[in-house]
Amino acid sequence: MSASLNAATTATAQDPACAEPLPVLGRDVTVPLVTGGEVTYAALDYAASAPALQRVWDDVAAYAPYYGSVHRGAGYLSQLSTDLFEQSRTTVAEFLDCRPGDQVVFTRSTTDSLNLLAAVLPADCQVFVFETEHHASLLPWTNAQVTYLNAPRTPAEAVATLERALAEREPYGPALVCVTGASNVTGELWPVKELAAAAHAHGARIVLDAAQLAPHHPVSVRDLDVDWVAFSGHKLYAPFGSGVLAGRADWLQEAEPYLAGGGASRKVSRREDGGVDVEWHTTAARHEAGSPNVIGVYSIASACRALTEAGFDHLVAREQQLVTRVREGLAEVPAVRVLSLFGEDAPRVGVISFVVDGWNSSHFAAALSAEYGIGVRDGLFCAHPLVRTLLGSEPQAQGECGAPEAAPGERSLNAIRVSFGAGTPDEHVERFVRAVRELVTDGAKWQYRTQEGRCVPAV
């Protein structure tokens, strides 16, 4: 390698302004505009599902001809697939900086991971969860005594609220705190390490919902001192629908399997009374019954390697430039209000939600798509209590295109969310900022109508 090329490579690695986004699938896809012509699609809905990294897709394509059933297969492809599956477990453990003895269980998603943890809670376990959580971490605890904590307005208030709730709990038994690492609505980072310290000081454990954190920041189970972490592959630039629950093994080993079936059992025998005796695995396999999603698991491991090799310092720095550009661009439009719990100066990932005066959010999102080729999200983002708290004083007209139906006497509420990450080109962000300004200033160029609760271009 020449000296000049070395210098150029070093400059690019150190200066996010010189950096290129990581290659992702769909970066060259064009979509039609209702006003005529086509444009390269700007995927700005990463918080729902991030596009797959090209590296991940290439790794999966290289493995696909060698695909075989995992565990217990005698054939070469089965042995190879088993090795790949278990190596992926090791890769994920390294990516999360797990402790010795921690288990990595492969699931379908973050939602599945947290439902698994809910299923293995000890008897009489109390769960503490902020109302600000995504439904995946708000709703699974139906078999436990749940305390829902009010939305805090500062990180310090979040810690104080949790400490007070834990100190007042009766009886003093097993307890679990569930908290997000980064909000899927505001993008704001939560004080996970401080919350973990508070939980442990009061004899509780803590699980981190890292669905929105892991794609944007390094997550260290060891440094954050959380007991478990859950995340989804499809938000980590990995397709095929797999997820992870990683952390302490004891509750997982002591509980009945989340799913009963092949793979979870070590030995099954008939009893004289006609029933069966089952000896369950004590490893992660205990909660991985059935044929696992080998390709999904491998794609997560590939994404973990790709992000690690790209360097999170570099990725975070570049993403923060995009966050700054979007926030500065939205601030220039007086009709736009960005939603926040912790205030303008709170650190955040590339997830920003906002409302626009005079617009129903579904109508605005539809116009961004149809007239500019920009894909964002609108609605309540599977975090209804949080969004309703943030929008509680801002009703939207029932008759406007795309206004969600509300119960009698209830306001119609929704917001717009733009989200981005390691694969987002600068041009997509610039187009979005320009489109917001033009729509607010000039209005939509097309007519829209409501169809099945959604705002769509009128034909």
Side-chain angles (χ1 to χ4, degrees):
M1 181 180 294
S2 68
S4 60
L5 185 53
N6 267 317
T9 303
T10 302
T12 300
Q14 293 177 347
D15 182 3
C18 302
E20 293 293 328
L22 297 185
V24 294
L25 294 184
R27 60 190 180 275
D28 298 324
V29 169
T30 59
V31 294
L33 303 179
V34 292
T35 51
E38 293 186 341
V39 67
T40 302
Y41 183 65
L44 297 179
D45 193 15
Y46 276 45
S49 284
L53 287 172
Q54 184 67 54
R55 154 79 176 273
V56 171
W57 194 260
D58 292 343
D59 282 352
V60 168
Y63 160 64
Y66 300 93
Y67 167 81
S69 62
V70 302
H71 301 140
R72 298 171 301 284
Y76 178 83
L77 297 190
S78 291
Q79 293 292 309
L80 185 149
S81 294
T82 298
D83 287 346
L84 180 143
F85 186 81
E86 294 304 331
Q87 287 169 10
S88 296
R89 202 186 304 275
T90 300
T91 297
V92 171
E94 293 172 349
F95 179 75
L96 295 174
D97 190 25
C98 288
R99 300 162 294 241
D102 282 346
Q103 286 188 347
V104 173
V105 180
F106 289 118
T107 65
R108 294 180 299 170
S109 59
T110 307
T111 302
D112 195 32
S113 295
L114 294 171
N115 275 270
L116 163 56
L117 187 59
V120 305
L121 295 180
D124 302 320
C125 186
Q126 298 180 61
V127 176
F128 295 82
V129 57
F130 287 94
E131 67 173 350
T132 48
E133 293 292 307
H134 186 282
H135 294 171
S137 46
L138 187 73
L139 302 180
W141 320 105
T142 54
N143 293 325
Q145 177 185 334
V146 186
T147 299
Y148 296 104
L149 306 174
N150 292 334
R153 287 299 180 166
T154 66
E157 184 183 342
V159 176
T161 298
L162 178 62
E163 288 182 327
R164 185 166 53 250
L166 289 172
E168 294 172 351
R169 81 182 191 272
E170 291 183 1
Y172 190 88
L176 177 71
V177 177
C178 182
V179 67
T180 188
S183 170
N184 77 303
V185 176
T186 67
E188 292 164 314
L189 298 178
W190 277 63
V192 176
K193 191 168 185 176
E194 292 80 3
L195 291 167
H200 294 153
H202 290 276
R205 297 190 180 190
I206 186 168
V207 57
L208 168 63
D209 175 354
Q212 299 297 341
L213 183 64
H216 304 276
H217 276 266
V219 175
S220 170
V221 170
R222 199 187 310 256
D223 180 61
L224 294 173
D225 198 22
V226 293
D227 297 280
W228 293 277
V229 60
F231 70 88
S232 295
H234 73 101
K235 299 186 192 298
L236 195 78
Y237 311 99
F240 307 114
S242 283
V244 168
L245 177 67
R248 302 200 181 277
D250 53 351
W251 286 8
L252 295 168
Q253 291 176 348
E254 292 163 6
E256 290 294 300
Y258 179 47
L259 297 173
S265 57
R266 292 183 61 187
K267 180 180 178 181
V268 180
S269 58
R270 290 293 301 272
R271 297 195 305 264
E272 290 184 3
D273 64 5
V276 295
D277 287 322
V278 184
E279 180 182 340
W280 302 108
H281 278 293
T282 57
T283 63
R286 186 184 188 90
H287 299 289
E288 294 178 343
S291 297
N293 182 355
V294 184
I295 288 181
V297 165
Y298 182 50
S299 70
I300 288 179
S302 173
C304 289
R305 287 191 297 269
L307 293 175
T308 300
E309 291 168 10
F312 268 107
D313 288 347
H314 161 75
L315 296 175
V316 169
R318 181 178 184 276
E319 182 177 310
Q320 287 308 303
Q321 288 190 338
L322 299 181
V323 170
T324 298
R325 179 65 188 106
V326 170
R327 295 190 68 212
E328 289 178 346
L330 294 179
E332 295 171 354
V333 185
V336 170
R337 182 173 79 86
V338 173
L339 306 185
S340 175
L341 270 178
F342 298 154
E344 291 186 3
D345 296 331
R348 66 197 69 212
V349 299
V351 179
I352 298 170
S353 295
F354 62 98
V355 291
V356 183
D357 290 345
W359 286 80
N360 175 270
S361 295
S362 180
H363 188 189
F364 201 87
L368 285 173
S369 175
E371 300 179 26
Y372 295 90
I374 299 170
V376 297
R377 174 99 11 170
D378 68 277
L380 299 175
F381 317 126
C382 291
H384 294 189
L386 170 57
V387 180
R388 290 183 182 282
T389 294
L390 296 173
L391 294 181
S393 61
E394 300 186 12
Q396 297 187 343
Q398 282 286 86
E400 190 174 352
C401 178
E405 294 183 2
E410 185 179 86
R411 299 187 185 106
S412 171
L413 300 172
N414 60 353
I416 306 151
R417 183 181 70 191
V418 56
S419 53
F420 41 87
T424 304
D426 292 2
E427 187 275 329
H428 290 184
V429 164
E430 294 297 336
R431 194 196 318 171
F432 167 77
V433 169
R434 183 177 69 253
V436 170
R437 183 170 57 248
E438 290 180 1
L439 284 172
V440 171
T441 302
D442 303 329
K445 301 180 180 67
W446 204 261
Q447 294 296 314
Y448 296 82
R449 62 184 177 85
T450 301
Q451 178 178 304
E452 297 180 354
R454 298 290 307 166
C455 190
V456 299
V459 180

